[in-house]
Amino acid sequence: MQATLVSKKGGPAFSFGVLHLLSGIPIVTTSIGKKQSISPHEKRLALLSRCLQDIRDASQPEDLFPIVIAYLQQEFPYPLIWLGQYDRSQNSIQGAGGTAPAQNNSALQGSISLTPGELMEQVVSQLRPMMVPDLRAEQRGGRLLPLAQKLGIQGALLFPLRYRDQCYGVLFLGSDRWGMLAKTDEKAILSIVTGEVGAALHRFAKIGRAHV
């Protein structure tokens, strides 16, 4: 399924060498100076490390979302990847970018008002991920139901973009297949990434309050 990007505007210590990232190609230099390609697992760790560093280096909130979306597209190629920022004053989630079938890009824009008891509101208030086997049959789906129906989404994963006890947004991953979406290690990676985004958004919020 073709997807289009829409956006607003350290790994372990390897005993056999030192990990380098040269021109985007992970290379291992051994103790005797020879170079060899690293394993897929090590490459995945290198990509994660680069994503986390890019998030830390972002100079404004708008820079975060393209970084995360590009990483998720490469590592978690779900039909739907959607990031939203939490607006406390309006108690809503404002779309900040994502990927979807090309003809449905407009579905990623706009905001979603939060209603008590609905899935998105529970993710924000309870600050914990939620996994839904079939969003279209979920009674708590609320305003996500029209989106799921429009995009043909069944399985759904929702992660809060959190820092400690504060929620700054939501990551919504959707699959066109029924059932749980991610393995244990994949959920751990998503928790790390969303936690880093939450910490960055918290930092930007502090800077914004300091200039008021």
Side-chain angles (χ1 to χ4, degrees):
M1 181 179 297
Q2 185 177 4
T4 301
L5 178 65
V6 179
S7 182
K8 272 185 163 184
K9 194 204 182 89
F14 302 112
S15 59
F16 50 81
V18 180
L19 180 66
H20 293 277
L21 295 174
L22 301 176
S23 301
I25 304 175
I27 297 294
V28 169
T29 303
T30 65
S31 57
I32 58 176
K34 295 182 179 179
K35 294 182 178 180
Q36 63 186 41
S37 297
I38 67 175
S39 71
H41 176 68
E42 292 156 356
K43 181 178 180 180
R44 193 172 194 185
L45 289 174
L47 291 171
L48 173 61
S49 178
R50 171 175 289 181
C51 174
L52 297 178
Q53 188 60 55
D54 288 345
I55 291 172
R56 298 181 191 117
D57 291 342
S59 58
Q60 56 185 348
E62 291 77 10
D63 296 338
L64 294 173
F65 303 111
I67 292 169
V68 178
I69 292 165
Y71 171 76
L72 293 174
Q73 282 184 287
Q74 185 169 3
E75 291 295 293
F76 300 89
Y78 295 116
L80 175 64
I81 300 173
W82 186 79
L83 282 163
Q85 268 190 282
Y86 178 45
D87 184 338
R88 287 180 177 78
S89 64
Q90 300 295 322
N91 193 33
S92 65
I93 299 292
Q94 175 66 48
T99 61
Q103 67 271 24
N104 291 314
N105 291 339
S106 61
L108 303 179
Q109 302 171 358
S111 63
I112 297 177
S113 298
L114 300 181
T115 301
E118 293 183 355
L119 281 175
M120 190 78 79
E121 187 275 337
Q122 291 184 350
V123 172
V124 171
S125 62
Q126 298 178 18
L127 296 172
R128 63 182 181 87
M130 290 198 174
M131 286 148 245
V132 184
D134 189 350
L135 183 57
R136 297 177 301 179
E138 176 57 55
Q139 294 182 349
R140 300 171 298 165
R143 297 176 186 245
L144 293 180
L145 289 178
L147 183 64
Q149 293 167 352
K150 184 175 183 179
L151 300 179
I153 297 301
Q154 294 191 53
L157 261 175
L158 295 102
F159 276 78
L161 307 178
R162 62 175 293 183
Y163 178 77
R164 296 182 179 175
D165 62 347
Q166 296 290 319
C167 184
Y168 289 93
V170 173
L171 167 64
F172 176 20
L173 299 178
S175 171
D176 54 4
R177 298 179 181 179
W178 185 95
M180 307 304 285
L181 292 171
K183 300 177 182 178
T184 300
D185 60 334
E186 293 174 331
K187 287 184 281 188
I189 291 173
L190 289 169
S191 293
I192 292 170
V193 172
T194 53
E196 197 68 51
V197 175
L201 291 172
H202 175 75
R203 172 167 52 88
F204 291 130
K206 286 181 64 178
I207 293 174
R209 289 194 296 268
H211 288 84
V212 174

